[in-house]
Structure formats: structure tokens, C-alpha cells
Amino acid sequence: MTLFAVLFEDDQQHAAEIRQKYLESHFDFLQANAAHIKTAGPLSRQGDAFAGGLWLVEIEDAAEVERLVEEDPFWSAGLRKSVQILVWNRVFADGARLPRQQMPQPSVTP
């Protein structure tokens, strides 16, 4: 399994309305996919409204993460302006360095 950080940027134009309307179905979606979506929550700038969201997803590959993103009610409702799907290699947690793990090697194109 690979651990992915998924960063969402929200479209602020209708964000409050969309969040209010789809929040419960979004939570139901997260619960239904809890085997892969390990943690999730909103992001904001200090003193500002929601700016987006963050998921940590443990799953086989990025294509499966994309499928989850597209199945999220917030995505189909138009809340998300953009998404970045990044492989994340945890090296430090709970105040301690974690055992060394193999980092994926970047592909090099000539």
C-alpha cells in the first residue's frame, strides 16, 4: 500500500452553500471509505474561511485515489477547484523518527 496526501483547493464562490448542502453526504462518503481514507479535514488560512481540504489515503495507486476524489459528493457538487495527489513518506511522527522506508525513485526523462 502507498500513502498519499490529497490536497484540495475549494472554489470560494459557492463554498458555504455547497458545504452546508452536501456536508452529511460527504461525511457518509468518508465513513464508507474509511478503510482507505485514514484522516480528512478542512484547511483554512488563519482567520479566514475554509480554503480546501486534506486527506491521507492508504491505497494501491494514484488512479484509485482519483476514483475516490471523483466519488466524493463535494467533488461532484463543484466545491473543489483543484486537487493534488502526492505520495507521502512519513519519516517523523509522535515526536520520534520512524524507521527508514524506501522512497519511490522519481522517473527521469531524457
Side-chain angles (χ1 to χ4, degrees), residues 42-103:
L43 298 171
S44 61
R45 293 173 189 84
Q46 191 169 1
D48 199 359
F50 296 119
L54 169 69
W55 294 353
L56 294 180
V57 179
E58 192 169 32
I59 204 161
E60 289 297 323
D61 59 41
E64 292 182 64
V65 179
E66 287 179 34
R67 178 189 56 78
L68 286 171
V69 166
E70 292 172 359
E71 290 175 359
D72 180 7
F74 278 174
W75 184 264
S76 57
L79 176 64
R80 306 303 193 189
K81 181 177 178 180
S82 67
V83 62
Q84 293 183 61
I85 299 171
L86 307 164
V87 173
W88 185 45
N89 186 22
R90 285 179 28 154
V91 296
F92 190 85
D94 299 321
R97 185 175 178 178
L98 300 175
R100 188 177 177 114
Q101 298 176 9
Q102 289 285 52
M103 290 194 60

Side-chain angles (χ1 to χ4, degrees), residues 26-37:
H26 172 69
F27 280 133
D28 290 344
F29 165 80
L30 293 173
Q31 183 67 47
N33 291 283
H36 296 296
I37 302 173

